[in-house]
Amino acid sequence: MLPKVLYESDLKVFKFWFADLIQDGAHYQDELFCRLATYPLNERAAAYQLSSRIGHKGYRVLLSVNDAECSLWGALREPMTHAILRGDVLLELHTTPTVHQPAPESSLTESYS
């Protein structure tokens, strides 16, 4: 899935609290997004490639641009977004981030007799 590229002025941006920090959120086409990273405008091509790699894994992402920078946004329903905001996954422009899904709760508990 290719990411949408939008002018940041086309997004409805707001602030919210998550992972002990105030985050930037955005509403676009009935979906809520969170700003995951911001890059200088001269890194826009690399940011687009990163967002494409994430999108090809099935995650919903946006890329926004303004006069000075571009931002990568992740849908708030996505586990990748939560992992990035918690610091479990680092976004690097030239690598594809991965999220390790937690094991089902039943496999984490052991019964002792």
Side-chain angles (χ1 to χ4, degrees):
M1 174 185 335
L2 291 176
K4 296 277 186 185
V5 180
L6 306 165
Y7 291 108
E8 193 158 322
S9 59
D10 292 338
L11 296 173
K12 296 176 182 142
V13 179
F14 59 91
K15 301 282 188 186
F16 70 101
W17 184 261
F18 185 85
D20 295 328
L21 293 171
I22 295 175
Q23 308 286 346
D24 288 332
H27 180 257
Y28 178 74
Q29 291 186 344
D30 296 327
E31 184 75 49
L32 295 175
F33 292 84
C34 179
R35 189 186 317 261
L36 301 176
T38 300
Y39 305 103
L41 204 51
N42 65 345
E43 293 283 350
R44 183 171 66 175
Y48 182 81
Q49 289 175 351
L50 173 61
S51 62
S52 294
R53 289 192 302 272
I54 295 169
H56 284 307
K57 289 183 165 256
Y59 298 111
R60 291 180 304 265
V61 293
L62 295 175
L63 195 62
S64 69
V65 294
N66 61 30
D67 292 339
E69 58 196 13
C70 61
S71 295
L72 176 63
W73 301 79
L76 280 172
R77 292 189 233 184
E78 299 288 1
M80 166 98 45
T81 299
H82 292 241
I84 292 167
L85 293 176
R86 285 191 312 265
D88 298 339
V89 173
L90 299 177
L91 285 177
E92 296 180 16
L93 280 179
H94 303 288
T95 61
T96 303
T98 57
V99 175
H100 299 287
Q101 299 295 331
E105 199 169 312
S106 61
S107 68
L108 294 177
T109 58
E110 296 178 10
S111 59
Y112 298 117
S113 311

